[in-house]
Amino acid sequence: MRLSDLQSKDIVNIVDGRNIGNIIDVKVDEKSGTIVSLLVEAKGKFMSFAKNEDVEIKWQNIERIGEDVILVKLN
């Protein structure tokens, strides 16, 4: 799976059903090359110069990656 495949998916929090936003980047462990977390641009922030509201989602918080959606568990 490529980053571009992940970026096309909606990210939904299974705790409250909220659509979190879109993936803008990933953090990768330099030694192992594995994904550590996803960086998500907060929904509704498009072209905003407001305070940085990006969300970092740790890889262990991802419950399932489906065809159209990524389900995460955030409290």
Side-chain angles (χ1 to χ4, degrees):
M1 182 173 292
R2 297 180 174 174
L3 176 58
S4 60
D5 296 331
L6 292 175
Q7 288 177 312
S8 66
K9 300 177 188 302
D10 290 326
I11 304 201
V12 176
N13 186 357
I14 63 172
V15 173
D16 59 9
R18 185 173 52 111
N19 186 336
I20 298 173
N22 300 88
I23 297 173
I24 55 174
D25 207 353
V26 295
K27 283 190 179 179
V28 177
D29 182 277
E30 292 179 17
K31 293 181 182 179
S32 67
T34 59
I35 296 176
V36 175
S37 62
L38 304 175
L39 296 176
V40 178
E41 182 177 38
K43 193 165 178 79
K45 187 186 165 198
F46 182 73
M47 298 297 281
S48 172
F49 296 103
K51 183 177 135 183
N52 187 357
E53 297 176 13
D54 296 341
V55 177
E56 183 175 357
I57 299 173
K58 302 284 184 195
W59 190 256
Q60 61 263 23
N61 290 359
I62 296 174
E63 294 291 319
R64 181 167 297 233
I65 299 176
E67 192 172 316
D68 299 319
V69 70
I70 298 173
L71 299 176
V72 298
K73 188 173 185 180
L74 302 175
N75 294 331

